[in-house]
Amino acid sequence: MKALLLGRDGQVATEFLRRAPAYGIEVEALEVPELDFTNPEGAAELVRGKDCDVIVNAAAYTAVDKAEEQQELAQLINADGPGAVAKVAAEKGIPFLHISTDYVFDGAGDARFTTEDATGPLGVYGATKLDGERQVAEAGGWHAILRTSWVFSAHGGNYVKTMLRLGAERDKLTIVADQVGGPTSAADIAEALLTIAKNGPEAEGGLFHFAGAPDASWADFAREIFAQSGTECAVEDIPTSAYPTPAARPLNSRLDCSRLERTHGIAQPDWKAALADVLAELKAS
């Protein structure tokens, strides 16, 4: 099987490339400037000329706060570009796998959001990702959209690496404790995508949720990072209102992941175990 991976250097793409050989999947990865989602038609033409059995989109505009000022750029990268390429996948009759986010929800309540629940993004990032979902679905081909949350790994910039840096510099940190979700390792997301790719159109497609368990707050996440890494840094809980940001964050990012397990046999991963793996890799490097 040949996979065309859109995005090469991000957290999920890095893990996808590392793990694909074990699944018998050969990968061609595209990255800017060759892949340019700011030119959706150009990106579509590039992909149209590629020989592959599945297309996996791991490229995204993820600067949540900057998106408030760069709405057009976020729209192109998160929605119009993927939408144009999804149409090519539909024309070719091959699956299109796409990553989305918990930010498509408004974060109300404390129940886990299902794939059937109404969406209501609070900012530009979430709105553009939601439009990307719509465009991928409306392209008409077999697709799988994987909404995930709080991604971390040993690569790139992410919460785990930030906490390790700050924890080494300070004796105490104030961390938001009223935003709750599922930290999810990029490695587990990559494994889920590879499994879906291997299952292919014979399995059910559509919209899925995938996040680490158990649910935790950002403060809980920080405490676990410090405990596992042996970092002596106290965590003081604060409300979101004490840490204002340009873009609003959903307070509730809990995701009901049962549909993915039911249709593709992919269970929610233990993020604490995944964190141990990431910390071990960081220590080794």
Side-chain angles (χ1 to χ4, degrees):
M1 173 180 280
K2 295 181 180 178
L4 183 65
L5 178 64
L6 309 182
R8 184 181 60 235
D9 302 328
Q11 295 185 81
V12 174
T14 298
E15 296 295 343
F16 189 94
L17 285 165
R18 293 171 71 175
R19 285 164 168 74
Y23 286 78
I25 296 178
E26 179 185 339
V27 183
E28 178 182 359
L30 303 177
E31 189 57 89
V32 291
E34 184 180 17
L35 174 71
D36 183 9
F37 273 169
T38 65
N39 176 9
E41 291 309 313
E45 281 304 310
L46 173 66
V47 171
R48 187 172 282 113
K50 297 294 183 179
D51 176 27
C52 58
D53 303 303
V54 60
I55 298 173
V56 180
N57 180 33
Y61 181 106
T62 58
V64 175
D65 290 324
K66 286 185 179 180
E68 296 298 307
E69 299 177 353
Q70 298 181 332
Q71 182 171 355
E72 183 177 352
L73 181 60
Q75 174 68 25
L76 288 168
I77 296 174
N78 288 342
D80 299 343
V85 175
K87 289 179 181 178
V88 174
E91 293 169 7
K92 286 174 167 282
I94 60 176
F96 186 84
L97 279 53
H98 180 71
I99 302 171
S100 191
T101 174
D102 57 297
Y103 276 68
V104 300
F105 294 112
D106 63 5
D110 56 12
R112 291 185 175 88
F113 287 102
T114 73
T115 56
E116 302 297 323
D117 285 330
T119 53
L122 301 176
V124 170
Y125 169 68
T128 58
K129 292 297 288 184
L130 182 59
D131 191 46
E133 292 183 7
R134 177 189 64 80
Q135 292 197 38
V136 168
E138 290 182 356
W142 192 97
H143 63 277
I145 297 168
L146 198 67
R147 288 177 180 157
T148 189
S149 61
W150 300 19
V151 182
F152 68 93
S153 71
H155 322 286
N158 59 72
Y159 188 75
V160 170
K161 295 173 77 173
T162 298
M163 287 300 103
L164 290 173
R165 176 176 57 81
L166 293 177
E169 297 171 352
R170 306 178 191 177
D171 295 328
K172 183 178 76 172
L173 292 172
T174 55
I175 308 290
V176 169
D178 57 356
Q179 294 176 28
V180 178
T184 318
S185 81
D188 287 327
I189 298 170
E191 295 275 0
L193 290 169
L194 286 160
T195 298
I196 295 170
K198 289 294 285 187
N199 289 346
E202 293 184 2
E204 191 174 349
L207 186 60
F208 302 97
H209 288 171
F210 182 69
D215 297 325
S217 70
W218 288 112
D220 295 331
F221 194 7
R223 288 190 185 92
E224 186 66 22
I225 293 166
F226 296 151
Q228 288 199 25
S229 64
T231 302
E232 295 185 4
C233 181
V235 174
E236 177 184 342
D237 292 1
I238 60 171
T240 297
S241 58
Y243 188 72
T245 53
R249 267 68 171 170
L251 297 181
N252 177 20
S253 288
R254 300 172 180 88
L255 298 176
D256 181 332
C257 304
S258 59
R259 182 169 186 265
L260 186 63
E261 183 169 14
R262 190 168 62 249
T263 58
H264 286 274
I266 302 170
Q268 277 191 272
D270 179 352
W271 66 262
K272 293 183 181 180
L275 174 62
D277 292 339
V278 167
L279 292 174
E281 182 174 350
L282 286 170
K283 184 176 181 180
S285 62

